[in-house]
Amino acid sequence: MRDTEPTVSPVVEAWATYRTTSAQDWPTRRLMRAKGDSRVSVVLPARNEEATVGAIVSTIREHLMDRVPLVDELIVVDSRSTDRTAQVARAAGAEVVGQDEMTRGLPRLTGKGDALWAGLAAADGDVVAFVDADLREFRPHFVTGLIGPLLVDPSVEFVKGFYHRPLVGAAGVEADGGGRVTELMARPLLNLFWPELAGFVQPLAGEYAGRRAVLERVPFVTGYGVETAMLIDLLELVGLDALAQVDLGERKHRHQDTAALGRMSAQIMHTAWARLQRRGWAAPGTSPADTLTQFRRGGSEALPSLDREIVVNDVSVQERPPLADLRPRVPRRRVAAA
């Protein structure tokens, strides 16, 4: 039995103090002075986001491209959308590329991670920022906050955003209720096996930026494992001191149901398992099951004894190798989605 209460790791406390800033610390004028000859690309992976992608693109173009030339390139990766995502994004002022066009000649993969990889392949910025395309009430500081440390401090290689995520439910609004998978899965997992990453407030945040030279050296995991893999792989590649985080305020977006969050958690576990194997902490040559069994009330195929339908989902993940390894096979010319 412990005699004293546990305390935060001195390493984590020092890092969080030294490498955490607020978006307000990075005003546009300061970034323009620091930018020099660096090129900045913003990439939005988007699948069926016609309701929100246009406003995000318009805001970035108006405030960070037309008013001041801080962002040089704005790319929306159309990830096999079946709605008008591509048309809306293009009309708002983005360059639209197709996920499949940027990965032509490579194995066909699915999920957000592959769309991010395609966006990195399409972009030519020295600094590349990724922003989810489902954000509501988007503001320019989501971009300036992410790229600020990278433009000003050459020792920073990667910046992760964090924020409050309100969860709107029948009983009202829970101010920080939106990070359920973070609190129930990702944070415990990272604290147990990669405790150096315990200081990241939002390890699964979809808003982050990095130097191209570093991003091209890590694999991109498909599905919901991409953010977890990126943090772990970057920690091993460049070390904790080269990573930073920025408070972006409040993030509003749509929320997924509990079943979808279960599938997300399973993919994160798969991702972590592969990295534990790499460390020698998981049995080599083994892997978790690729399927997740869930139950849905009612349904046309509900079993009488359960009053529920059994639903089985594939939760396996794949990895697109580092872009630097495949650059000769990736199209140099970007092809717009139809």
Side-chain angles (χ1 to χ4, degrees):
M1 185 174 181
R2 293 189 177 186
D3 296 329
T4 59
E5 291 294 323
T7 59
V8 64
S9 159
V11 172
V12 171
E13 183 176 21
W15 175 85
T17 301
Y18 176 57
R19 285 304 196 195
T20 300
T21 57
S22 167
Q24 308 309 315
D25 297 328
W26 309 106
T28 304
R29 286 185 180 181
R30 182 185 182 191
L31 301 190
M32 284 301 301
R33 290 195 299 268
K35 182 183 177 185
D37 296 330
S38 298
R39 285 183 55 81
V40 175
S41 300
V42 177
V43 174
L44 280 72
R47 179 178 175 85
N48 296 333
E49 303 292 0
E50 65 174 329
T52 52
V53 69
I56 299 173
V57 169
S58 296
T59 299
I60 296 173
R61 176 157 288 282
E62 176 185 354
H63 293 276
L64 303 178
M65 299 181 80
D66 295 339
R67 291 188 184 180
V68 293
L70 182 62
V71 172
D72 301 285
E73 187 177 48
L74 177 54
I75 298 172
V76 170
V77 181
D78 183 16
S79 183
R80 304 167 191 149
S81 297
T82 56
D83 65 0
R84 298 182 63 256
T85 291
Q87 296 92 319
V88 170
R90 190 177 294 112
E95 179 176 1
V96 179
V97 301
Q99 175 178 340
D100 291 330
E101 293 296 340
M102 292 310 305
T103 58
R104 187 173 62 247
L106 301 174
R108 191 177 192 271
L109 302 182
T110 61
K112 179 184 176 183
D114 194 49
L116 292 169
W117 191 95
L120 180 62
D124 65 10
D126 305 294
V127 170
V128 181
F130 297 102
V131 177
D132 279 349
D134 66 342
L135 303 187
R136 295 183 286 109
E137 301 180 22
F138 180 84
R139 297 291 182 268
H141 73 265
F142 268 69
V143 174
T144 55
L146 293 173
I147 66 176
L150 293 161
L151 293 179
V152 172
D153 188 346
S155 69
V156 175
E157 303 283 0
F158 179 81
V159 179
K160 189 82 166 179
F162 71 93
Y163 27 64
H164 296 289
R165 297 177 63 192
L167 178 63
V168 180
V173 179
E174 186 178 350
D176 283 309
R180 292 165 287 175
V181 175
T182 293
E183 298 304 328
L184 297 174
M185 167 58 66
R187 195 180 312 286
L189 193 64
L190 293 175
N191 273 259
L192 288 171
F193 298 108
W194 294 274
E196 305 98 315
L197 297 174
F200 279 93
V201 180
Q202 295 282 356
L204 301 185
E207 283 66 52
Y208 39 87
R211 300 192 190 280
R212 158 180 294 284
V214 170
L215 294 173
E216 287 191 349
R217 294 169 61 195
V218 296
F220 279 59
V221 172
T222 60
Y224 294 114
V226 60
E227 279 84 19
T228 302
M230 192 174 294
L231 271 185
I232 295 170
D233 294 347
L234 286 171
L235 174 68
E236 296 178 357
L237 180 65
V238 299
L240 181 63
D241 189 56
L243 311 180
Q245 63 180 349
V246 172
D247 186 351
L248 299 178
E250 185 174 80
R251 184 187 200 266
K252 295 182 179 180
H253 65 119
R254 70 172 186 273
H255 295 280
Q256 301 192 61
D257 61 29
T258 303
L261 298 182
R263 296 189 290 274
M264 180 186 298
S265 298
Q267 291 191 325
I268 291 171
M269 291 181 68
H270 264 278
T271 301
W273 179 274
R275 278 140 186 83
L276 289 172
Q277 278 188 321
R278 194 167 64 199
R279 279 191 166 195
W281 291 2
T286 63
S287 62
D290 288 337
T291 57
L292 175 66
T293 300
Q294 297 177 301
F295 299 91
R296 181 188 302 144
R297 291 191 64 177
S300 59
E301 300 181 15
L303 299 179
S305 56
L306 293 174
D307 191 29
R308 290 167 176 81
E309 183 178 2
I310 296 178
V311 181
V312 178
N313 290 281
D314 183 353
V315 292
S316 61
V317 296
Q318 297 174 284
E319 296 190 13
R320 188 72 77 185
L323 179 60
D325 295 347
L326 295 180
R327 176 54 81 180
R329 300 175 57 188
V330 177
R332 301 298 299 186
R333 178 176 61 88
R334 294 196 294 271
V335 183

